[in-house]
């Protein structure tokens, strides 16, 4: 079975190192995962006044999330927390009340930073947000990637065997996690009654 995975990049920069990381992850993923990017750059700032008549970009964003079997969040850390553009997207995804696009979606969180702790603090801030949204999360292995330009090529190649091995393992674990979560959260499962 093939699972459609929507991925969000928590940076709007065309030269984002997390965009480069996402290319590597897609190349290293098992063949049963099929990826498509869910863009967040066109979303307006969240405003509850717009919920009654959602902007077209928000409708398209929520439809893309709804069509995904799972979600991969690839994000930098800004000021020791979640980048504003990504948090804004998550806030839109959760609205209106009762129409949370993240509910029951198997989700993985990974990020790269030039710093030694990768994106550990951002991920610690993100986990309770995803928990509140009822998004099951891959919690192990954790992935805090220290970005080195010589390791990550522009087309998704990874020039370090140990990093390539770790990322490949991470994506295999995510594939297995998606399958497990969807197996128990399919419509008609006892937990849905």
């Amino acid at each position: 079975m093939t699972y459609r995975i929507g991925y969000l990049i928590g940076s709007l920069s065309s030269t984002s190192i997390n965009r480069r990381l996402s290319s590597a992850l897609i190349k290293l993923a098992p063949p049963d995962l099929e990826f498509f990017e869910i863009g967040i750059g066109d979303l307006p700032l969240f405003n509850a006044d717009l919920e009654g008549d959602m902007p077209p970009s928000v409708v398209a964003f929520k439809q893309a999330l709804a069509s995904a079997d799972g979600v991969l969040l690839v994000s930098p850390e800004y000021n020791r927390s979640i980048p504003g553009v990504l948090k804004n997207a998550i806030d839109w995804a959760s609205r209106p009340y009762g129409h949370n696009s993240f509910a029951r979606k198997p989700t993985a969180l990974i990020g790269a930073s030039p710093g030694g702790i990768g994106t550990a603090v951002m991920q610690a801030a993100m986990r309770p947000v995803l928990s509140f949204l009822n998004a099951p999360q891959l919690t192990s292995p954790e992935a805090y990637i220290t970005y080195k330009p010589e390791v990550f090529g522009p087309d998704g190649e990874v020039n370090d065997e140990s990093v390539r091995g770790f990322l490949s393992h991470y994506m295999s674990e995510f594939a297995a996690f998606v399958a497990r979560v969807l197996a128990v959260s399919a419509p008609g499962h006892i937990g849905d009654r």
Side-chain angles (χ1 to χ4, degrees), residues 19 22 31 44 67 82 87 90 102 121 137 141 149 157 186 188 193:
R19 179 166 296 284
S22 72
S67 75
I82 305 164
K87 183 60 168 64
I90 290 168
F102 274 97
V121 180
Q137 302 167 55
E157 62 274 0
R193 294 186 186 145

Side-chain angles (χ1 to χ4, degrees), residues 2-53:
T2 300
Y3 299 104
R4 294 187 73 243
I5 305 299
Y7 66 98
L8 283 69
I9 299 172
S11 167
L12 299 182
S13 171
S14 61
T15 60
S16 167
I17 61 177
N18 283 278
R19 179 166 296 284
R20 195 171 276 204
L21 173 60
S22 72
S23 295
L25 294 168
I26 291 167
K27 279 195 170 189
L28 294 169
D32 55 342
L33 298 183
E34 174 187 298
F35 293 87
F36 66 100
E37 183 173 355
I38 301 175
I40 61 176
D42 293 334
L43 297 173
L45 291 176
F46 175 76
N47 180 344
D49 293 347
L50 302 177
E51 285 186 60
D53 186 18

Side-chain angles (χ1 to χ4, degrees), residues 49-122:
D49 293 347
L50 302 177
E51 285 186 60
D53 186 18
M54 292 268 195
S57 60
V58 174
V59 172
F61 171 69
K62 289 179 68 67
Q63 287 173 341
L65 274 173
S67 75
D69 295 314
V71 179
L72 177 64
L73 302 170
V74 186
S75 180
E77 177 178 299
Y78 289 172
N79 300 314
R80 292 288 189 252
S81 195
I82 305 164
V85 68
L86 181 56
K87 183 60 168 64
N88 183 61
I90 290 168
D91 291 343
W92 272 120
S94 71
R95 303 301 300 170
Y97 181 80
H99 298 277
N100 170 15
S101 300
F102 274 97
R104 297 192 190 113
K105 295 278 183 190
T107 305
L109 181 59
I110 187 171
S113 168
I117 60 171
T119 57
V121 180
M122 178 279 295

